[in-house]
C-alpha cells in the first residue's frame, strides 16, 4: 500500500550534522502521521521525531533542540535534520507512516503501519 525508502545515513563525527530523507510511494494520500524511529544494538526501538499532516512536530527528549523534522507532501517525503550529534545517536533509523489518526508522537508507534528498511547512522570520533 505504501512503500518507504530511507537515505542519507552514514558516519559522522560527534558534534556534526547529518540529514536523513524518506520518500514514500504507492497510496501516499491521507498519510496522517510520519516519523523517524531508531534502534541501537541491544536496545529497544525508540521514537525520535514525528510530524502530522498539519506540520505539527514532536521530539524525543533525547534529541529535543538538536534534531528537526520536516515534511514535503508534494514529494511525499520527510526529512530528519540531525545537529550536534552524539555517540548515543548511533542506530539504524527507520521511517514510518500510517493512515490512522492516532496520537502522533515519538512515544508511540501505534498508528505506524508502514515501515522502511532503515538507514544506519554511526557517530564516532
Amino acid at each position: 500500500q505504501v512503500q518507504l525508502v530511507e537515505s542519507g545515513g552514514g558516519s559522522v563525527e560527534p558534534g556534526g550534522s547529518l540529514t536523513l530523507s524518506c520518500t514514500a510511494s504507492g497510496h501516499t494520500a491521507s498519510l496522517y502521521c510520519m516519523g523517524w524511529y531508531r534502534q541501537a544494538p541491544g536496545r529497544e526501538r525508540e521514537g525520535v521525531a514525528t510530524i502530522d499532516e498539519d506540520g505539527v512536530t514532536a521530539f524525543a527528549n533525547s534529541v529535543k533542540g538538536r534534531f528537526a523534522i520536516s515534511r514535503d507532501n508534494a514529494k511525499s517525503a520527510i526529512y530528519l535534520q540531525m545537529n550536534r550529534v552524539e555517540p548515543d545517536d548511533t542506530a539504524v533509523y527507520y521511517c514510518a507512516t500510517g493512515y490512522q489518526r492516532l496520537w502522533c508522537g515519538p512515544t508511540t508507534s501505534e498508528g505506524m503501519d508502514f515501515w522502511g528498511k532503515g538507514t544506519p547512522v554511526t557517530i564516532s570520533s
Side-chain angles (χ1 to χ4, degrees), residues 6-25:
E6 304 97 336
S7 63
S11 297
V12 63
E13 297 276 343
S17 297
L18 195 67
T19 299
L20 307 182
S21 300
C22 170
T23 300
S25 61

Side-chain angles (χ1 to χ4, degrees), residues 9-54:
S11 297
V12 63
E13 297 276 343
S17 297
L18 195 67
T19 299
L20 307 182
S21 300
C22 170
T23 300
S25 61
H27 188 66
T28 59
S30 302
L31 291 173
Y32 170 62
C33 184
M34 302 188 74
W36 292 95
Y37 298 76
R38 67 187 182 186
Q39 187 167 26
R43 298 188 181 187
E44 298 294 325
R45 184 184 65 198
E46 65 173 349
V48 177
T50 60
I51 182 167
D52 72 11
E53 62 183 359
D54 297 315

Side-chain angles (χ1 to χ4, degrees), residues 32-38 46-71 78-81 93-94 96 102-109 112:
Y32 170 62
C33 184
M34 302 188 74
W36 292 95
Y37 298 76
R38 67 187 182 186
E46 65 173 349
V48 177
T50 60
I51 182 167
D52 72 11
E53 62 183 359
D54 297 315
V56 178
T57 61
F59 299 89
N61 289 334
S62 59
V63 307
K64 194 172 299 182
R66 300 188 297 117
F67 290 8
I69 186 171
S70 59
R71 179 169 179 167
I78 62 168
Y79 309 90
L80 184 68
Q81 180 182 316
Y93 284 70
Y94 298 91
L102 304 175
W103 174 253
C104 187
T107 59
T108 183
S109 60
M112 300 300 198

